[in-house]
Amino acid sequence: MSSRSPDDVFYLTTPIYYINGPPHLGHAYTTIVADTMARYRRLAGDDVFFLTGTDEHGDKIAQAAAKAGEAPLALADRNSKAFRDQWAALGITYDDFIRTTEPRHARLVQAILKNLFERDQIYFGKYGGQYCFGCERFYTEKEIVDGKCPDHQTPVIYIEEENYFFRMSAYQDWLRGYLEDHPDVVQPERFRNELLGFLREPLQDLSISRPKSRLQWGIPLPFDDRFVTYVWFDALLNYVSALGEPGSDLVRRYWPHVRHLIGKDILKPHGIYWPCMLKAAGLLRDEASGGVSLPGFARLRVHGFWTLGGGKISKSVGNVVEALALTRKYGNDAFRYFVLREMPFGQDASFSEEALVDRLNADLANDLGNLVSRATTMLVNFGPQAAGATPAPELPDQEIRDRAAETSSAVAQAMDEFAFQRALVEIWSFIGGLNRYIDASQPWTLAKDPGKRARLATVLVTLADALRYLGIVLEPFLPEAAARIRATIEDTRRPALANAVMGRTDELGRVRRLSGLFPRVDVKAAPAGSPPGGAPSEGPTARITIDEFKRLDLRVAEIVAAEVVPKSKKLLKLTVRLGEEPRTLVAGIAEHYRPEALVGRKVVVVANLEPATLMGVTSNGMVLAGSAGEALALVALDRDLPSGAKVR
Ligand code: MSP
């Protein structure tokens, strides 16, 4: 993985979410992106610390609690748990979950405040300005649009009060210089430009307190208990307090490698307040991390916003909470794939159920699901024929191996840039190549010719190897499906990118057939409002080739005897004749046909089905019938044909 950055320690944070409401699509997106990145880095062998949590103080929470008639902490306990439960349901692999109401957090916030106050970085003063209660911050005249907060579209209100202020203005030049000299600290680039834009205006000092007469729900200032800490000053420090005191083991180990993943809505606090706070607190200097050299700035990775799009079935998704509920309807992996694939990192994108289903059907059911089903079926069916033959790779097989190596480095490069969409496009191009490789090498034809055993063995080994490769590479993006792929080929090792190399083994291991990895969703059968889990239970309607169809031996058969299977309500035992050959079949049609009415009729049967024993009777084939709801009808011929005639 030559293009990966040299860091082998990786500290990744999400914003800590407000708990005045339940988790929704936006929260889930950031957290899924972070989880994908954390999993990828672990797969690459890095020492990863992945932090998320909840932001529990401030006006917003106090007001929500007052409205619900409960104590702020009771509301916080309940809703913070809702976030943890949601992340558990989504399979999020965070290493720590911090709540700003925890003592470990309050301790650090107070220690930093005390330090800044003693070093005259904080002073007492009066300030009047336009305030947005939704954002919990003052707005400058330039930022206000038509008298309203541009984010909340609610009128800003002039308030004047005595407060403590952080000397943020003192850091303006330093910050501008730093951002100009270090293009990599804020990405994508346009967000760095946005910050430089803010810094062209004079930077105000930051009010970091709220009088208790107006708000009690916060961390008390250690030097004046008439005030609580401004929620943003409190919240940003979670990124340090979760690791511990400055100088502690975890801070020394992880802090120098931090990357903050945020949405574009909170760029200013993260891109302006936070670096100034860190600089003032000495948390950017070597001593803070115990002599470890620090990056100088907490690196920001900024993503865009989801909007709810139009589209026919998307009417069922009226808001961001409902959008997140689609994880239950379509599964975690499908949802995860959709959000990662659909939104170019840093840009806005539109969410709709229809677009999700389109991706699920095209990329997951068709491309990936079909590949896995075809490859495992061929490995199961033709593997025994190829056993013992020595594989001898030819050009097409070598090309697949080369494509795997190219895919790995393209994915590594994309992941360095948080370009999840590109990483997936690369992997899907490899998957497309594999589907074409199967079409071109035609294992089913090779299997018919004993002279082609070595060739068959080579193709099958390449397919097994490619599945093993995909079982590793897909892990960060589709953790559940990747685990199923590994299980089906009995790859029990812990997945690691170091093992995602094709061509290391010539042996065919044990393989089980895996079909229906991603059942196709029939848009007409599962319209808006169909119950969660409404994906069809019928299994995949993945396409099969004509050769696969030809493997079915369908025949005309004449029923010569029929009787009820004892103790069974549904089963009939049929004796049929296929040409001269008599056969016993069991059919689940007793509720629809009386036995005596069947004798003499001609039906269509699958003649080459594995025998199965039902209620003590062994069935050697299957009678074809159509069904719709309660109705059932045997498949019949509209002209007479002799029994034993082939059906195709
Ligand atoms: N509590 C603050 C963050 C403090 S971090 C020290 C906060 N919380 S929040 O609950 O409002 O979460 C905001 C974050 O949620 C955004 O930055 C983004 O990560 C995510 N999203 C919320 N809505 C979103 C969309 N519609 N689309 C994408 N992500 C969005 O702000």
Side-chain angles (χ1 to χ4, degrees):
M1 307 283 122
S2 53
S3 59
R4 279 200 40 243
S5 70
D7 298 20
D8 56 358
V9 181
F10 195 73
Y11 176 31
L12 184 65
T13 70
T14 73
I16 48 172
Y17 304 110
Y18 288 130
I19 41 82
N20 51 338
H24 60 61
L25 166 67
H27 306 133
Y29 174 68
T30 313
T31 310
I32 286 172
V33 162
D35 185 63
T36 305
M37 185 53 80
R39 284 174 184 264
Y40 182 78
R41 292 291 185 148
R42 287 189 203 112
L43 204 63
D46 287 1
D47 173 4
V48 173
F49 195 91
F50 165 22
L51 176 71
T52 188
T54 41
D55 189 354
E56 308 189 3
H57 291 127
D59 274 327
K60 231 190 269 292
I61 316 301
Q63 281 172 20
K67 209 164 142 200
E70 62 185 334
L73 189 58
L75 177 100
D77 283 345
R78 194 158 37 78
N79 284 346
S80 178
K81 181 168 181 306
F83 275 86
R84 285 193 302 277
D85 291 347
Q86 180 66 68
W87 301 157
L90 287 178
I92 302 297
T93 58
Y94 57 77
D95 294 293
D96 198 356
F97 187 102
I98 185 146
R99 302 181 56 185
T100 54
T101 47
E102 287 176 66
R104 61 170 170 163
H105 177 69
R107 255 199 322 271
L108 182 96
V109 172
Q110 291 192 325
I112 299 271
L113 283 167
K114 189 161 171 284
N115 174 283
L116 292 178
F117 185 65
E118 284 167 0
R119 291 176 34 240
D120 192 35
Q121 296 292 307
I122 288 177
Y123 62 92
F124 193 60
K126 191 175 199 162
Y127 184 77
Q130 303 291 352
Y131 193 79
C132 169
F133 282 87
C135 299
E136 304 198 26
R137 72 171 176 94
F138 287 97
Y139 269 83
T140 61
E141 291 302 333
K142 276 234 151 120
E143 291 174 303
I144 299 166
V145 182
D146 297 333
K148 290 180 181 159
C149 159
D151 268 1
H152 289 87
Q153 302 293 323
T154 49
V156 288
I157 295 167
Y158 183 84
I159 61 169
E160 195 173 72
E161 62 191 20
E162 285 190 307
N163 265 314
Y164 284 88
F165 290 86
F166 163 48
R167 295 192 192 280
M168 194 158 74
S169 56
Y171 298 95
Q172 172 152 12
D173 292 341
W174 163 77
L175 184 55
R176 192 194 304 114
Y178 200 87
L179 286 173
E180 277 165 358
D181 295 348
H182 297 83
D184 66 313
V185 294
V186 183
Q187 277 175 358
E189 177 73 10
R190 72 178 172 97
F191 295 109
R192 185 174 68 114
N193 293 334
E194 206 171 299
L195 290 175
L196 286 167
F198 287 136
L199 290 170
R200 277 194 278 279
E201 302 300 318
L203 197 57
Q204 311 282 325
D205 286 345
L206 181 70
S207 157
I208 54 99
S209 64
R210 295 292 178 266
K212 274 194 184 160
S213 55
R214 184 152 76 72
L215 174 74
Q216 284 99 52
W217 183 235
I219 298 175
L221 292 188
F223 41 82
D224 190 340
D225 65 5
R226 295 172 305 154
F227 292 86
V228 295
T229 312
Y230 168 49
V231 67
W232 268 106
F233 195 94
D234 160 352
L236 287 160
L237 282 164
N238 90 87
Y239 300 133
V240 180
S241 71
L243 295 180
E245 308 283 328
S248 69
D249 284 352
L250 288 183
V251 171
R252 291 164 60 125
R253 185 151 132 210
Y254 292 111
W255 181 245
H257 304 275
V258 68
R259 279 168 185 76
H260 300 303
L261 184 62
I262 59 168
K264 65 179 187 179
D265 54 327
I266 53 178
L267 178 65
K268 189 170 180 182
H270 282 83
I272 308 274
Y273 309 172
W274 184 223
C276 295
M277 285 166 65
L278 290 172
K279 176 86 176 148
L283 279 166
L284 293 182
R285 275 188 276 116
D286 282 8
E287 308 89 80
S289 61
V292 182
S293 148
L294 289 168
F297 187 89
R299 282 169 279 188
L300 302 183
R301 297 295 175 259
V302 190
H303 67 72
F305 254 50
W306 285 100
T307 54
L308 294 177
K312 265 191 237 134
I313 63 174
S314 70
K315 285 206 188 90
S316 61
V317 183
N319 63 49
V320 281
V321 175
E322 286 170 17
L324 179 54
L326 293 182
T327 53
R328 291 200 295 278
K329 187 164 170 185
Y330 298 110
N332 287 340
D333 274 2
F335 186 87
R336 189 175 172 112
Y337 178 81
F338 174 71
V339 294
L340 292 170
R341 176 67 181 74
E342 195 76 3
M343 179 182 267
F345 191 81
Q347 293 172 34
D348 293 349
S350 132
F351 186 100
S352 78
E353 184 173 0
E354 198 171 44
L356 190 157
V357 169
D358 283 350
R359 284 253 173 249
L360 167 55
N361 282 343
D363 300 4
L364 298 179
N366 210 39
D367 296 345
L368 176 62
N370 245 348
L371 168 71
V372 173
S373 160
R374 296 172 83 191
T376 55
T377 302
M378 288 176 215
L379 283 160
V380 168
N381 289 347
F382 308 140
Q385 267 146 276
T390 311
E394 294 175 15
L395 193 61
D397 320 296
Q398 190 52 49
E399 271 170 10
I400 293 290
R401 291 182 188 182
D402 294 347
R403 279 294 296 136
E406 286 158 22
T407 303
S408 292
S409 46
V411 168
Q413 172 104 41
M415 293 302 275
D416 268 353
E417 295 165 30
F418 280 60
F420 302 88
Q421 189 197 39
R422 238 174 54 219
L424 288 173
V425 168
E426 292 291 344
I427 298 174
W428 256 256
S429 138
F430 177 72
I431 290 171
L434 273 174
N435 273 319
R436 286 191 299 278
Y437 169 79
I438 296 179
D439 295 341
S441 41
Q442 302 198 4
W444 53 91
T445 311
L446 299 174
K448 287 192 202 128
D449 183 348
K452 299 267 169 64
R453 272 183 60 226
R455 183 74 203 122
L456 178 64
T458 313
V459 174
L460 293 183
V461 163
T462 306
L463 288 180
D465 206 14
L467 289 180
R468 199 178 54 76
Y469 173 79
L470 285 172
I472 301 172
V473 177
L474 287 173
E475 199 279 339
F477 308 96
L478 301 172
E480 293 168 11
R484 288 183 68 193
I485 293 174
R486 293 196 303 275
T488 221
I489 53 170
E490 297 195 351
D491 183 355
T492 51
R493 285 171 311 175
R494 214 174 125 201
L497 279 189
N499 295 325
V501 179
M502 284 188 64
R504 282 201 185 158
T505 168
D506 281 354
E507 277 163 42
L508 275 179
R510 267 173 57 92
V511 177
R512 271 187 305 260
R513 178 155 193 246
L514 176 54
S515 62
L517 186 60
F518 288 100
R520 212 183 149 77
V521 175
D522 181 347
V523 182
K524 288 191 204 84
S530 66
S537 55
E538 305 278 56
T541 51
R543 289 187 192 173
I544 58 170
T545 62
I546 185 79
D547 291 292
E548 285 171 305
F549 173 76
K550 280 185 190 155
R551 299 184 47 232
L552 287 175
D553 187 16
L554 300 175
R555 302 284 177 143
V556 176
E558 184 180 349
I559 300 176
V560 293
E563 60 187 278
V564 172
V565 172
K567 296 205 200 104
S568 166
K569 268 203 281 188
K570 295 193 175 153
L571 301 181
L572 292 184
K573 175 180 167 190
L574 306 177
T575 309
V576 301
R577 233 200 314 264
L578 289 175
E580 293 311 307
E581 182 199 346
R583 290 260 190 135
T584 302
L585 308 181
V586 178
I589 57 173
E591 291 168 318
H592 304 271
Y593 291 93
R594 281 178 298 115
E596 58 276 19
L598 290 170
V599 176
R601 289 178 63 155
K602 283 191 177 150
V603 290
V604 177
V605 302
V606 185
N608 62 341
L609 204 63
E610 293 272 4
T613 303
L614 301 160
M615 305 282 289
V617 185
T618 300
S619 179
N620 265 293
M622 185 174 86
V623 180
L624 292 187
S627 70
E630 299 285 287
L632 183 136
L634 288 168
V635 172
L637 301 161
D638 75 344
R639 274 186 204 144
D640 193 39
L641 283 176
S643 74
K646 180 105 181 112
V647 176
R648 58 185 124 231

